[in-house]
């Protein structure tokens, strides 16, 4: 399966950003991509007033996907009662296939005060892969990715808005989450400041397959048979000791 990483800057308006995104998505389709990933909150960033435009953005994406057959993972900002929600919408030719609400809200951007946290993990079948969805700060919580892997997930798709100044941690987490779970990982970032960490595709060994650092498009071919083969040849999960991990279920002792 060919996946497109759409390394995109959020512009002054959602309409302008969407137009740029559709241009890059059209290129991805023409180059044979079956799935494309856009950044977290791609049309708006943290401009909360722009959440009003999200329904029209999603409608345009649905129209595009119906016309092209492409599936798109799009990070969007949505109104959620008096607060907002940071979501990843998976849009396919038949409409919205899945919706994931960010489960770990980052204090650095005021998310706990302005957004609702997601209450469930979300998986879906996509082009021969079992996909697990996450968003940006979720990468700091390996438990989430291990749960996905134990459910058979072999590809993580992660819209993100990770600051370039913390790019060293970003690359470490992306490669670690892939290697420790023997799964592909595709994480796509914003191109503009203060974000701008490289968008990455990582294989189930934790090796970098693709890096996109300038605004634009990168494409990578993923083999759905590889994670299963690796998990059989180098079995990790059967060696787990869940009886020793009960502390993971305890409430945090520090805030």
């Amino acid at each position: 399966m060919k996946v497109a990483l759409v390394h995109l800057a959020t512009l002054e308006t959602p309409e302008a950003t969407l137009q740029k995104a559709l241009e890059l998505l059209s290129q991805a389709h023409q180059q044979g991509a079956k799935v494309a990933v856009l950044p977290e909150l791609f049309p708006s960033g943290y401009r909360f007033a722009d959440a009003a435009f999200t329904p029209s953005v999603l409608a345009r994406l649905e129209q595009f996907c119906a016309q092209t057959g492409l599936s798109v993972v799009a990070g969007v900002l949505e109104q959620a009662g008096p607060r907002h929600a940071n979501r990843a919408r998976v849009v396919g030719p038949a409409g919205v296939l899945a919706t994931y609400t960010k489960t770990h809200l980052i204090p650095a951007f005021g998310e706990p005060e302005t957004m609702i946290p997601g209450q469930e993990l979300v998986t879906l079948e996509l082009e021969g892969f079992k996909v697990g969805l996450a968003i940006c700060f979720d990468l700091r919580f390996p438990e989430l990715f291990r749960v996905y892997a134990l459910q058979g997930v072999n590809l993580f798709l992660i819209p993100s808005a990770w600051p370039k100044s913390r790019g060293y941690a970003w690359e470490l987490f992306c490669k670690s989450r892939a290697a420790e779970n023997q799964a592909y990982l595709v994480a796509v970032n914003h191109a503009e400041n203060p974000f701008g960490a490289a968008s990455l595709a990582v294989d189930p060994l934790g090796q970098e397959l693709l890096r996109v650092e300038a605004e634009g498009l990168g494409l990578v071919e993923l083999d759905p048979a590889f994670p299963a083969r690796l998990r059989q040849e180098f079995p990790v999960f059967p060696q787990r000791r869940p009886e020793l991990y009960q502390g993971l279920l305890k409430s945090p002792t520090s805030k």
Side-chain angles (χ1 to χ4, degrees), residues 203-217:
D203 78 2
L205 294 169
Q207 298 177 127
E208 184 179 305
L209 295 173
L210 178 68
R211 167 185 297 261
V212 184
E213 295 182 307
E215 185 172 29
L217 192 65

Side-chain angles (χ1 to χ4, degrees), residues 119-191:
Q119 298 299 323
E120 60 182 0
L121 305 186
V122 177
T123 67
L124 72 154
E125 302 291 333
L126 201 59
E127 299 291 334
F129 283 90
K130 186 167 185 179
V131 170
L133 300 173
I135 298 174
C136 200
F137 188 57
D138 287 331
L139 276 164
R140 288 186 177 269
F141 300 87
E143 303 93 331
L144 180 155
F145 295 87
R146 179 50 54 89
V147 169
Y148 274 148
L150 293 175
Q151 293 175 356
V153 166
N154 53 12
L155 171 60
F156 305 124
L157 297 180
I158 312 174
S160 299
W162 199 284
K164 191 173 184 178
S165 61
R166 293 197 291 273
Y168 61 92
W170 161 259
E171 298 197 20
L172 173 65
F173 295 143
C174 284
K175 293 174 182 179
S176 296
R177 298 299 86 86
E180 68 199 7
N181 293 296
Q182 298 175 309
Y184 287 106
L185 182 147
V186 173
V188 175
N189 244 311
H190 285 246

Side-chain angles (χ1 to χ4, degrees), residues 184-240:
Y184 287 106
L185 182 147
V186 173
V188 175
N189 244 311
H190 285 246
E192 84 279 8
N193 291 324
F195 308 114
S199 293
L200 297 174
V202 183
D203 78 2
L205 294 169
Q207 298 177 127
E208 184 179 305
L209 295 173
L210 178 68
R211 167 185 297 261
V212 184
E213 295 182 307
E215 185 172 29
L217 192 65
L219 286 94
V220 63
E221 188 79 38
L222 307 182
D223 176 9
F226 181 37
R229 187 168 67 248
L230 178 62
R231 289 171 180 180
Q232 184 175 27
E233 293 173 353
F234 192 78
V236 173
F237 301 157
Q239 312 311 318
R240 295 174 63 250

Side-chain angles (χ1 to χ4, degrees), residues 13-197:
T13 66
E15 296 92 335
T17 310
L18 176 63
Q19 186 57 45
K20 180 64 176 179
L22 289 172
E23 292 173 7
L24 292 171
L25 290 171
S26 294
Q27 294 177 27
H29 170 60
Q30 292 165 8
Q31 295 178 44
K34 296 296 184 182
V35 175
V37 184
L38 291 162
E40 176 185 12
L41 306 176
F42 91 90
S44 62
Y46 287 93
R47 300 188 305 245
F48 293 106
D50 285 347
F53 295 92
T54 297
S56 62
V57 169
L58 290 171
R60 289 281 303 280
L61 286 176
E62 288 187 45
Q63 182 182 41
F64 174 86
C65 292
Q67 293 171 345
T68 62
L70 191 68
S71 294
V72 176
V73 183
V76 293
L77 180 68
E78 297 186 290
Q79 195 72 42
R83 293 195 173 203
H84 292 82
N86 186 336
R87 291 188 169 130
R89 294 275 192 177
V90 184
V91 182
V96 176
L97 303 176
T99 301
Y100 170 79
T101 302
K102 191 176 186 179
T103 51
H104 300 92
L105 301 180
I106 182 168
F109 291 100
E111 289 185 345
E113 292 74 42
T114 58
M115 297 181 179
I116 60 167
Q119 298 299 323
E120 60 182 0
L121 305 186
V122 177
T123 67
L124 72 154
E125 302 291 333
L126 201 59
E127 299 291 334
F129 283 90
K130 186 167 185 179
V131 170
L133 300 173
I135 298 174
C136 200
F137 188 57
D138 287 331
L139 276 164
R140 288 186 177 269
F141 300 87
E143 303 93 331
L144 180 155
F145 295 87
R146 179 50 54 89
V147 169
Y148 274 148
L150 293 175
Q151 293 175 356
V153 166
N154 53 12
L155 171 60
F156 305 124
L157 297 180
I158 312 174
S160 299
W162 199 284
K164 191 173 184 178
S165 61
R166 293 197 291 273
Y168 61 92
W170 161 259
E171 298 197 20
L172 173 65
F173 295 143
C174 284
K175 293 174 182 179
S176 296
R177 298 299 86 86
E180 68 199 7
N181 293 296
Q182 298 175 309
Y184 287 106
L185 182 147
V186 173
V188 175
N189 244 311
H190 285 246
E192 84 279 8
N193 291 324
F195 308 114

